[in-house]
Amino acid sequence: QVQLVESGGGLVQPGGSLRVSCAASGSIFSIGTMGWYRQAPGKERELVATITSGYNTNYADSVKGRFAISRDNAKNTIYLQMNSLKSEDTAVYYCLARQLGQPYWGQGTQVTVSS
């Protein structure tokens, strides 16, 4: 079992920045791709960004150029740096880790962009 704990969410003004983190623990061998998804009220969960164990990244078009995903394999942690935040970025952000094809999800952290 892999446990994922997100942190760093909160309230930020439009145009501001925020960084969220996700730490993996438990049976963390062979964790491959990790990433961030988000779910806004009344909407389906959507991909934000992913990063492989080899540090290859992939982003949703809506966040390209504004968000950056990174990974520290020594700490089993990934980060999502969010810049130039917009009201439409408001959502619960969920961390995902894949281990031998099995997906594991964190509990989510709320990010609210509002003046």
Side-chain angles (χ1 to χ4, degrees):
Q1 289 285 332
V2 175
Q3 291 81 46
L4 301 172
V5 178
E6 300 104 332
S7 60
L11 174 65
V12 62
Q13 292 186 344
S17 297
L18 201 63
R19 190 178 81 156
V20 292
S21 304
C22 171
S25 63
S27 299
I28 58 175
F29 64 92
S30 298
I31 287 181
T33 297
M34 297 184 71
W36 292 95
Y37 285 68
R38 67 186 181 187
Q39 188 167 18
K43 295 188 176 181
E44 294 186 353
R45 192 172 296 190
E46 64 176 5
L47 168 74
V48 177
T50 61
I51 185 166
T52 69
S53 56
Y55 303 102
N56 292 312
T57 59
N58 179 54
Y59 294 93
D61 287 342
S62 60
V63 306
K64 281 181 181 177
R66 299 189 299 121
F67 290 11
I69 189 170
S70 60
R71 179 169 183 160
D72 185 337
N73 284 335
K75 295 182 179 180
N76 301 305
T77 299
I78 63 170
Y79 307 92
L80 185 68
Q81 177 67 42
M82 302 181 285
N83 300 323
S84 302
L85 282 159
K86 306 175 182 179
S87 58
E88 50 263 45
D89 295 317
T90 295
V92 177
Y93 284 69
Y94 295 93
C95 178
L96 167 74
R98 291 193 179 275
Q99 182 185 56
L100 302 177
Q102 176 71 36
Y104 293 91
W105 293 94
Q107 82 286 352
T109 186
Q110 177 70 46
V111 172
T112 302
V113 185
S114 175
S115 56

